[in-house]
Amino acid sequence: LYAERGEHGRALSVLRQALELEPGNAVIEHNLGRSLQALGASDEALLHYASSLALGGPRASTLANMAIAYYETGQPAKAAEAASEAVRCDDTLAPAHAVLGAVALESDQPEEAVLYLHRALSLDPGYAPAHLSLGLALRALGQDDEAAAAFHQALRLAADEEMRLRVKQLLEELHDQQRAAIGH
């Protein structure tokens, strides 16, 4: 309940106590990973996700969360592997498709990225990270108006200030580019 309310520090404390009382519980390991990841401790979250999987925990959602954590820690190959496996388990996980899109974009494959990101958004139109990545992919393809629309949607849906600031910066850069192109 604490995690659902965004109180991940409190959730972490309770989950650690629960794990002491019931070691080897896959669901507790999974939830510990989620709260750690939400607090920016993705490396430690990966350890708990791996424990959850080893204990037979929720496979598809754990793999999708692992994919995000791997991506956040700069491990795109592992992120793509975990996301692909998550999609094989459950093709309806928008975050897994979004990670595959982000990895494709990072690998200079914006056309492929757009396909993954459109799939992610067809599954969850409110998934802000997919809108952000879609904007980046469309910008890489020179589709500036569509990129701006995706960035505006990401800004509208952003859950935290860090993402809002990043999107605002990207929109400003895009508008500067467009103004410079008109001026030439």
Side-chain angles (χ1 to χ4, degrees):
L1 290 174
Y2 288 136
E4 286 178 20
R5 294 191 302 213
E7 298 177 41
H8 292 284
R10 290 180 80 180
L12 205 57
S13 175
V14 172
L15 288 166
R16 289 191 194 279
Q17 289 174 347
L19 196 58
E20 285 179 26
L21 295 171
E22 195 176 333
N25 184 305
V27 174
I28 295 171
E29 291 284 2
H30 173 84
N31 289 331
L32 259 169
R34 284 182 54 217
S35 285
L36 285 162
Q37 190 171 2
L39 293 170
S42 294
D43 285 322
E44 189 177 350
L46 284 165
L47 298 173
H48 289 282
Y49 290 143
S51 293
S52 178
L53 288 176
L55 294 165
R59 189 152 186 79
S61 61
T62 300
L63 287 165
N65 288 341
M66 286 180 86
I68 295 167
Y70 279 129
Y71 191 78
E72 290 171 344
T73 59
Q75 301 177 68
K78 287 184 176 183
E81 184 180 325
S84 294
E85 193 172 340
V87 167
R88 281 193 294 278
C89 293
D90 182 354
D91 187 44
T92 66
L93 293 171
H97 289 281
V99 168
L100 290 169
V103 170
L105 181 60
E106 193 172 300
S107 301
D108 294 323
Q109 300 172 355
E111 296 90 357
E112 184 178 340
V114 167
L115 296 175
Y116 284 120
L117 295 163
H118 278 303
R119 174 69 176 142
L121 291 169
S122 73
L123 295 166
D124 183 357
Y127 192 55
H131 285 286
L132 172 59
S133 293
L134 180 60
L136 292 168
L138 291 168
R139 186 171 128 188
L141 292 170
Q143 299 175 19
D144 292 346
D145 291 338
E146 293 86 352
F151 288 146
H152 281 291
Q153 192 70 335
L155 184 60
R156 188 178 71 74
L157 296 167
D160 59 64
E161 190 59 26
E162 182 179 334
M163 182 180 225
R164 277 189 281 283
L165 290 173
R166 180 165 184 228
V167 174
K168 286 178 182 178
Q169 179 183 6
L170 289 165
L171 277 167
E172 191 174 307
E173 289 171 9
L174 187 59
H175 291 314
D176 288 347
Q177 254 182 308
Q178 290 172 327
R179 281 192 291 272
I182 290 171
H184 286 111

